[in-house]
Amino acid sequence: MSESDVINSEQILIPLVIPEKRELDVPGAPPVRLQTLDLARHIAIAPDHKQYVVATFADRNLGREYVTTVYPQQGGYHTLVRLPVCEYVFDDPDDALERHVELVQVIQQGKLKSYLKQQQ
């Protein structure tokens, strides 16, 4: 096999960098089992009883350092990961976790829509 065959192969391995896990306690928001690349993941419940998952994870394989995103939940347990409500990208994990806590609190206060309008 020549060197060019190896380079052009679709099986080039991308190194997986697993972030350091952090204990992040958010009052009134139960944590969810962390996925492999997660820094934090919580369930946030709005006053109208709508539930969301707020997740902060490393996404370096897609060219983004850290991502904090909000996903709606359906039926109290189905996380609709293909329908994110919002998504924020950060270079610093502390900034991402700060936004994570802020989003959980905004959802708990029932102010997610107004928060998102302010961010635009």
Side-chain angles (χ1 to χ4, degrees), residues 31-118:
V32 181
R33 185 175 58 100
L34 296 178
Q35 304 293 323
T36 302
L37 299 177
D38 282 353
L39 295 176
R41 187 174 287 253
H42 291 84
I43 295 174
I45 303 172
D48 63 1
H49 303 290
K50 289 185 181 177
Q51 292 185 358
Y52 301 88
V53 172
V54 180
T56 298
F57 53 91
D59 200 20
R60 294 182 191 119
N61 292 335
L62 292 179
R64 307 180 300 178
E65 287 296 315
Y66 299 95
V67 177
T68 298
T69 190
V70 175
Y71 303 108
Q73 273 196 321
Q74 186 177 47
Y77 59 92
H78 287 295
T79 303
L80 305 175
V81 295
R82 293 184 182 248
L83 299 173
V85 174
C86 60
E87 187 172 84
Y88 301 94
V89 179
F90 300 92
D91 291 329
D92 181 65
D94 293 327
D95 293 340
L97 291 171
E98 185 177 312
R99 179 64 60 95
H100 181 101
V101 172
E102 183 178 18
L103 284 165
V104 170
Q105 292 171 341
V106 164
I107 291 167
Q108 290 172 333
Q109 295 166 4
K111 299 179 181 178
L112 182 59
K113 286 184 182 180
S114 62
Y115 178 86
L116 295 175
K117 286 180 184 178
Q118 291 175 354

